[in-house]
Amino acid sequence: MFWRCIDGVSWSWGKFTKSRFAKTKRGATAIEYGLIAAGVAVAIAVLVGTLGTQIAATFQSVIDSLAG
């Protein structure tokens, strides 16, 4: 499958992603945003894993105190 670029040159999708996309600032910015999103996802996963058990224990103590 070929795409017509702005400069009028036909490129295959594989060639476009390997050469033109990697050289443009837009491609670099997209990669940077992807890395930031991955970092945020890892931070959220760590926080949920760490705080999740503490929050569950707190809720359980509230439930136990309300029940008895």
Side-chain angles (χ1 to χ4, degrees):
M1 178 177 247
F2 288 93
W3 298 89
R4 178 87 40 200
C5 296
I6 294 172
D7 59 1
V9 178
S10 295
W11 292 81
S12 69
W13 181 247
K15 250 182 153 177
F16 180 76
T17 56
K18 290 178 185 173
S19 63
R20 308 275 312 243
F21 188 70
K23 292 180 183 178
T24 62
K25 289 183 181 181
R26 188 173 48 194
T29 303
I31 292 170
E32 290 168 356
Y33 281 130
L35 290 172
I36 290 170
V40 169
V42 168
I44 290 172
V46 168
L47 283 174
V48 167
T50 304
L51 296 177
T53 55
Q54 294 174 354
I55 292 171
T58 303
F59 278 120
Q60 189 60 44
S61 67
V62 168
I63 290 170
D64 291 342
S65 65
L66 289 174

